[in-house]
């Protein structure tokens, strides 16, 4: 009976280690696609990380990386502003964006537009996954 418990404990440790090691890093890329020469101001954070106030020149890009939570709870949310407008959006929501989901990604690329963010479709290579502001 002792060898069965030892085997099960070893099996659980191996499975947990394998699951932890297989979680690959994810990158989010944000492009300023507002047009009209407008700079994009933004502030992104999660429950654990505050990425600070940032600004993107017209046509510019910025990226950040992280390792998604093993339990599927990773969320990064951003506030975006230009001129007199201000909007919010969940730029990475693991339930929506995790790899192998229909719209999943390891490199999640977003064009920020006035009417909402549009995500790069990995199958077509077009930013056609557009969402309304939160």
């Amino acid at each position: 009976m002792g060898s069965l418990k030892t085997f099960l404990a070893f099996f659980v440790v191996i499975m947990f280690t394998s699951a932890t090691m297989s979680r690959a890093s994810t990158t989010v890329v944000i492009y300023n696609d507002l047009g009209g020469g407008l700079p994009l101001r933004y502030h992104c954070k999660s429950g654990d990380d505050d990425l600070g106030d940032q600004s993107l020149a017209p046509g510019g890009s910025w990226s950040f990386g992280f390792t998604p939570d093993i339990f599927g709870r990773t969320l990064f949310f951003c506030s975006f502003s230009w001129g007199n407008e201000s909007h919010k959006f969940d730029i990475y929501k693991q339930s929506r964006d995790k790899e192998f989901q229909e719209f999943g990604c390891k490199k999640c690329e977003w064009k920020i537009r006035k009417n909402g963010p549009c995500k790069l479709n990995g199958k077509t290579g077009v930013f056609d996954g557009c969402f309304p502001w939160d």
Side-chain angles (χ1 to χ4, degrees), residues 6 11 13 31-33 42 44-45 63 73 80 82 85 98 103 118 120 124-125:
T6 302
F11 180 75
V13 167
Y31 299 95
N32 177 352
D33 195 35
Y42 58 97
C44 299
K45 56 185 170 179
S63 65
R73 301 174 299 200
F80 297 96
W82 61 90
E85 291 199 44
K98 69 182 172 185
F103 299 107
C118 294
L120 178 67
T124 65

Side-chain angles (χ1 to χ4, degrees), residues 3-82:
S3 63
L4 180 59
K5 286 183 181 179
T6 302
F7 173 77
L8 286 175
F10 179 73
F11 180 75
V12 168
V13 167
I14 293 298
M15 293 303 291
F16 181 76
T17 302
S18 174
T20 302
M21 290 174 65
S22 68
R23 291 183 308 131
S25 178
T26 298
T27 302
V28 170
V29 183
I30 297 171
Y31 299 95
N32 177 352
D33 195 35
L34 293 173
L38 291 169
L40 174 67
R41 294 179 310 280
Y42 58 97
H43 188 147
C44 299
K45 56 185 170 179
S46 71
D48 299 324
D49 299 301
D50 187 332
L51 305 178
D53 291 318
Q54 309 281 339
S55 182
L56 269 180
S61 67
W62 175 76
S63 65
F64 64 95
F66 57 93
T67 301
D69 181 82
I70 192 168
F71 300 109
R73 301 174 299 200
T74 302
L75 173 69
F76 277 90
F77 47 96
C78 302
S79 59
F80 297 96
S81 61
W82 61 90

